[in-house]
Each structure stands twice: as structure tokens, then as C-alpha cells.
Amino acid sequence: MEKYEDLLKKIDRLTFSDDGMFQAVMRDPEISAELVERLLHIKVDHVEYPELEKTIAPFYSTKGVRLDVYLRDADKVIDVELQSYPLEEPGKRTRYYNSMVDIDSLMKGQDYSELKDCYILFICKHDPFKDENDNPYRLPCYTFSNTCKENSLVNLNDKTIKVLYNASVYDKVKDERIRALLRFIYTNDCGKDDFANRLSAIVDKLKENEKFRSDYLAMNLHDRDITKRARQEGITQGLQQKAVDAAVTLVKKYNVNPEAAAKDMNAPLELVLEELSKVTI
């Protein structure tokens, strides 16, 4: 596990795009609204309680989703995600996030007609889309809405838009304000852009904030505990599977009684029998 002193050093190296710092900076409703307005070209009249790392898990048996920043105003809901690592399955991920946001709204008693406009915004430091040869398309922005395949003039009008920015090619962006923001996210150089400089100043201030430092340390130590336990469980499961495989080999190759083989290899008998049921001895 990472030492406490190492985590403290890591805090001092945090940038706006780092997990934990991004959510903390976006706690300011004005900052959240300005970022959204700049990237989506929409007007946010007000922000109703930005919910950071909001978890939506409608049923105990379903896979929940933890959103980075979840904003509402009078007529729209906006999920903002910042991805520092390559984004896997961007299409299916945005589809799932969209569905969870809608379910969250309907669970509050709304009818379909009352669903607000929904924006799923991903800011990626790596190109989220590649061709069949694994070459990135290198577009600075990918915008998706549902239109009719047979006639592009026909729009499904489901009020959902998915926008994915590719900060790695910020220099290709024509809009100066968006280019400056993506440049800051990708390089951590705020340049002369006023908004980027404000973001950078908030980051520096948070690094010195004792509550943020304490919360960040607690979050990281907790995550590392979970990772350590998961790794240990994986090792244990791997050893168990080896024991089961060895017991099955004893039964198949040397005609050893399954109970005896399981006992000799210290393998769960039910797993040995399950593996044996899959093959013809």
C-alpha cells in the first residue's frame, strides 16, 4: 500500500484533470455552469445543487453508475465526466449513463413527457474513437444525437445529446475558448485564458486546504484497501482453481476417488464435482 507520505506528495502534484480534484473544483456551481456553457454552447440558467460522484443504482440487482458531476437546471440534466485514461466502450458507456439518468428522473415520479433534456458530456484526454486499424480519428469533438437513417431531416427528438471531447488534439479546435480549456486539461498550462487561470487557482488553493487533503487521503486509502483485498481475493481464487484442476487430473488420469482427490489437493469437493460434470471421464 502507498505510504501516507507518498500520498501527501501526490496531492501536491494534482492537476485539474485528476480524479478527486476535478470533482472538488466542480463543487462551485458557477464554475460548473461556465464549463458546461463553454463546451456545450448552451445556457445554464442556474444550477440545482451539483451532485458530485452521484451514484445511481435503481435496484439492488442492477449495475449502478457513479457520475463525476451531475447538474440540473430548470429544463435539463447534465452529466459531466472527465476521463484521464483511455475510454473503453464509449458508445455503450454513454448509453448506460443516459439510461441511468433517465431512470433516476422517472423514479422521482415523473412521466415520460416530463423528462428534461439530457446531455452526457465526456472530456477525454485520449481520443475515444478509433477505426478498424486502431488508428484514432483525431476529431476534437464527437457529437451524437438520434436521427433517422433513411432521412436525416427526421429527428427522434428524444432530447438527448452525447458529446465527447478529445483534448489530445486541442490545437485543432477553432473556438478559442474551448481550445484554451482543452489545452489546460491536456497540458495543465492555463496560458492567458481567464477561466483556465481561475481553475488553476482553485486547484492550488485546494491543495492547501486541510479538509480537501484529509478527504483525498481518506478516499485514496479506502480505494487502495479495496484494490488490495480484490488482488488478494484474485490470488486466492487462482490458487483454488489450480487445486481444483489438480484434483480433476487425479480423477481423470489416475482414477482417484473424487472425494479423496479433493481432500489431497485441498480443493472444495463441490467445485471438483462441478468440473468433472463438464467432461466425460
Side-chain angles (χ1 to χ4, degrees):
M1 181 181 293
E2 209 167 339
K3 295 181 180 179
Y4 183 85
E5 294 80 5
D6 293 332
L7 287 174
L8 284 175
K9 292 179 182 177
K10 185 176 181 181
I11 291 176
D12 295 330
R13 295 194 297 266
L14 286 175
T15 68
F16 173 69
S17 62
D18 286 315
D19 191 38
M21 180 59 79
F22 173 67
Q23 292 87 344
V25 174
M26 295 288 281
R27 287 185 185 278
D28 185 330
E30 292 185 4
I31 291 294
S32 297
E34 185 164 347
L35 182 140
V36 166
E37 289 180 347
R38 184 175 289 208
L39 293 180
L40 293 181
H41 303 288
I42 60 175
K43 180 64 179 176
V44 178
D45 53 22
H46 72 285
V47 174
E48 298 175 3
Y49 305 106
E51 298 181 56
L52 308 178
E53 293 194 327
K54 175 182 176 64
T55 299
I56 300 177
F59 307 104
Y60 76 91
S61 59
T62 61
K63 174 180 173 62
V65 60
R66 189 174 73 173
L67 309 178
D68 277 356
V69 182
Y70 187 56
L71 309 174
R72 298 173 182 269
D73 77 353
D75 60 357
K76 63 183 75 71
V77 290
I78 307 157
D79 168 37
V80 186
E81 306 288 327
L82 201 159
Q83 292 286 322
S84 294
Y85 300 98
L87 179 64
E88 297 181 1
E89 298 286 353
K92 291 182 178 179
R93 180 170 295 198
T94 54
R95 169 185 167 184
Y96 191 74
Y97 279 32
N98 196 157
S99 67
M100 288 294 100
V101 170
D102 286 344
I103 288 174
D104 185 57
S105 296
L106 288 176
M107 287 179 69
K108 292 176 172 57
Q110 290 181 307
D111 185 69
Y112 296 118
S113 61
E114 298 177 89
L115 286 174
K116 297 181 179 183
D117 294 4
C118 179
Y119 293 84
I120 305 297
L121 170 62
F122 273 77
I123 309 167
C124 306
K125 294 184 72 172
H126 301 269
D127 199 319
F129 295 102
K130 298 180 180 180
D131 63 21
E132 63 275 8
N133 297 317
D134 205 36
N135 296 314
Y137 284 103
R138 293 184 56 78
L139 291 178
C141 183
Y142 303 86
T143 303
F144 301 91
S145 59
N146 291 318
T147 57
C148 179
K149 183 176 181 180
E150 290 75 14
N151 186 340
S152 60
L153 296 177
V154 180
N155 194 297
L156 190 61
N157 200 32
D158 59 354
K159 304 298 184 181
T160 64
I161 294 180
K162 303 173 181 69
V163 179
L164 297 91
Y165 275 97
N166 172 20
S168 69
V169 290
Y170 65 85
D171 55 320
K172 297 177 67 175
V173 179
K174 295 180 179 180
D175 187 304
E176 183 179 350
R177 296 168 74 244
I178 293 179
R179 183 171 65 248
L181 178 56
L182 294 182
R183 178 176 181 269
F184 171 62
I185 289 172
Y186 190 69
T187 68
N188 198 39
D189 183 356
C190 49
K192 297 181 179 180
D193 183 71
D194 177 67
F195 185 51
N197 275 277
R198 285 166 55 202
L199 293 175
S200 182
I202 295 173
V203 169
D204 290 339
K205 187 175 180 179
L206 282 169
K207 289 179 184 179
E208 302 301 322
N209 183 284
E210 287 303 321
K211 186 178 187 308
F212 171 78
R213 293 172 75 88
S214 176
D215 290 346
Y216 184 83
L217 288 171
M219 178 186 71
N220 277 269
L221 290 171
H222 174 68
D223 289 349
R224 279 159 178 73
D225 282 343
I226 293 175
T227 301
K228 183 179 180 181
R229 287 199 299 271
R231 186 183 297 115
Q232 187 58 50
E233 288 175 7
I235 292 172
T236 300
Q237 291 174 0
L239 293 174
Q240 184 182 78
Q241 186 58 50
K242 288 182 179 180
V244 170
D245 293 342
V248 170
T249 299
L250 287 177
V251 175
K252 291 172 60 181
K253 192 171 182 178
Y254 300 103
N255 295 319
V256 176
N257 179 278
E259 288 80 1
K263 184 177 181 180
D264 287 346
M265 294 296 104
N266 194 28
L269 177 59
E270 63 273 16
L271 294 183
V272 174
L273 294 175
E274 181 181 338
E275 288 296 318
L276 288 170
S277 69
K278 299 177 184 178
V279 297
T280 301
I281 302 176

